[in-house]
Amino acid sequence: MTDPLAFAGASVRDAVVAPPTEGLLPHEFTLGDSVYAPQEDSFLLIEAMRADSDAIAGRRVLDLCCGSGVIGIAAACLGAREVIAFDINPEAVRSTAVNAADAGVVVDARQGSIAEALAAGPFDVVLSNPPYVPAPDGVAGGDMAATAWDAGADGRSVLDPLCRAVPDLLTAEGMCLFVHSETSGVDTTVAMLTAGGVGAQSVASGHIPLGPVLRERAEWLGRRGLLPPAAQTEMLAVVRGRR
């Protein structure tokens, strides 16, 4: 069976705490122009998946906001019985299908969002690296690429409905793993899942340098208390929920 960490060419933890380097992914992912490339947040989520691999092997898995497909592909490599991946971006759906085929695994890539995922459920495991970057009013526009990261003024325009949907997405003994930044409220994700009857906690974290989008918004984020003053890094965290 393919080791999902082979995509990173190093340990996932190393990839998270160190800046990405050219050629980090020996597997050449096919990416449409508007598709988010695998980066540190995806690698951190894959690390958490590997730590819970017994909960993924043989299970029915959802990859929501699939982008390149790297998360769903890793789930398939970890032995998932079935992987269904959704994204609202048709280029992401095509990229996921191509990348899964290139990796030698089966991922059922479909265009859709939470509503379509609910219709296809329930799932034993729900995985997501959703859009989570806070965006000032008026920033989000018709740019399909930006839908991979922009998520409203508080960074939770996808996370909040996702957390509310989890009890209906999961089977009776299901598990979810979500990755996002401190800027969009890790404690809020834990609290929302817990309030929905899904016990939750942060199970992995790491700091990375601010990327171009957050650097551009750092002053605004600082004024809103979403980043420390003069921050040069952000914390990524994986939240796990269990029924």
Side-chain angles (χ1 to χ4, degrees):
M1 180 177 294
T2 304
D3 182 347
L5 298 189
F7 293 129
S11 78
V12 174
R13 177 67 67 183
D14 288 344
V16 169
V17 299
T21 59
E22 199 67 33
L24 181 65
L25 298 173
H27 170 76
E28 272 193 37
F29 274 68
T30 297
L31 300 172
D33 291 341
S34 60
V35 178
Y36 181 80
Q39 296 184 37
E40 296 94 342
D41 46 7
S42 294
F43 304 149
L44 185 63
L45 180 52
I46 291 171
E47 178 181 325
M49 291 163 58
R50 190 173 189 180
D52 263 316
S53 59
D54 287 348
I56 293 173
R59 305 305 203 279
R60 189 168 192 256
V61 175
L62 168 67
D63 176 10
L64 190 63
C65 308
C66 59
S68 67
V70 65
I71 299 304
I73 291 168
C77 291
L78 286 168
R81 170 171 53 87
E82 180 184 13
V83 180
I84 300 179
F86 282 98
D87 203 291
I88 63 170
N89 182 351
E91 288 194 356
V93 176
R94 288 191 291 271
S95 295
T96 294
V98 169
N99 291 324
D102 287 348
V105 297
V106 176
V107 174
D108 181 357
R110 308 178 185 181
Q111 187 172 3
S113 60
I114 294 171
E116 288 74 24
L118 284 164
F123 298 90
D124 302 305
V125 181
V126 176
L127 307 169
S128 188
N129 179 5
Y132 56 72
V133 176
D137 291 342
V139 166
D143 184 356
M144 180 59 79
T147 65
W149 55 82
D150 281 342
D154 60 0
R156 298 197 61 88
S157 64
V158 177
L159 277 163
D160 282 351
L162 176 56
C163 289
R164 288 192 291 266
V166 163
D168 294 321
L169 284 169
L170 285 179
T171 56
E173 297 183 355
M175 176 185 78
C176 63
L177 288 168
F178 303 152
V179 64
H180 64 88
S181 167
E182 64 180 303
T183 60
S184 44
V186 175
D187 289 344
T188 301
T189 297
V190 170
M192 288 189 69
L193 290 172
T194 301
V198 179
Q201 61 180 321
S202 175
V203 293
S205 64
H207 284 80
I208 61 169
L210 297 183
V213 175
L214 282 190
R215 285 200 302 271
E216 183 179 308
R217 300 176 188 176
E219 185 178 348
W220 174 77
L221 290 165
R223 290 198 304 269
R224 300 191 67 237
L226 300 178
L227 268 182
Q232 299 297 312
T233 64
E234 63 171 320
M235 182 189 75
L236 301 175
V238 176
V239 174
R240 181 182 65 203
R242 292 190 190 274
R243 296 300 290 265

